[in-house]
Amino acid sequence: MEIWINPACSKCRSAISLLDAEGADYTVRRYLEDVPSEDEIRAVLERLGLEPWDITRTQEAAAKELGLKEWARDADTRDRWVKALAEHPKLIQRPIITADDGTALVARTDDAVRDALSR
């Protein structure tokens, strides 16, 4: 199991605390420092069953500068969204846990973290 975190994020710290309390075996990826490639983002999106715009933090300054709210959300613009996430990793929603069963989820709640632990 791997968890993508930003240590400054309270939801990430909460998720780590719960994983520790449950004795989970996991790896931490500080994705702002160890930036995922476009292929890694695509792989995580497939595991999540989501599209790139579903995991994009549209309130971030970079999102506003790029005008993401106006971008189309369709198959033709999917690669553009993935590229934006790779170039501006702060736009990636967090934390993301890749579960042992090959799935992944955005673990912003304790229930979501527990769900990842049960997979």
Side-chain angles (χ1 to χ4, degrees):
M1 170 180 314
E2 181 175 76
I3 182 169
W4 291 10
I5 68 159
N6 172 352
C9 168
S10 63
K11 302 272 188 202
C12 293
R13 292 191 307 270
S14 177
I16 293 288
S17 293
L18 183 54
L19 290 173
D20 288 343
E22 296 292 327
D25 182 23
Y26 64 93
T27 302
V28 170
R29 180 171 187 169
R30 293 178 180 220
Y31 71 92
L32 296 179
E33 299 163 14
D34 182 9
V35 178
S37 68
E38 290 180 33
D39 286 342
E40 287 175 307
I41 292 169
R42 283 187 194 91
V44 163
L45 286 167
E46 185 173 322
R47 290 175 77 168
L48 287 165
L50 297 173
E51 294 295 338
W53 45 85
D54 296 327
I55 65 162
T56 300
R57 299 171 54 86
T58 57
Q59 298 304 313
E60 292 287 336
K64 292 176 183 175
E65 289 170 19
L66 292 169
L68 289 182
K69 285 191 175 183
E70 285 75 47
W71 287 16
R73 297 176 182 213
D74 57 28
D76 291 337
T77 59
R78 189 174 199 270
D79 285 341
R80 184 180 183 199
W81 282 87
V82 169
K83 182 175 179 163
L85 293 173
E87 291 178 355
H88 306 276
K90 197 167 191 178
L91 295 175
I92 300 171
Q93 189 59 265
R94 62 199 183 238
I96 293 176
I97 296 177
T98 56
D100 292 337
D101 70 351
T103 63
L105 58 129
V106 178
R108 295 189 55 77
T109 66
D110 286 353
D111 285 343
V113 176
R114 286 187 188 94
D115 184 14
L117 286 167
S118 71
R119 293 181 180 200

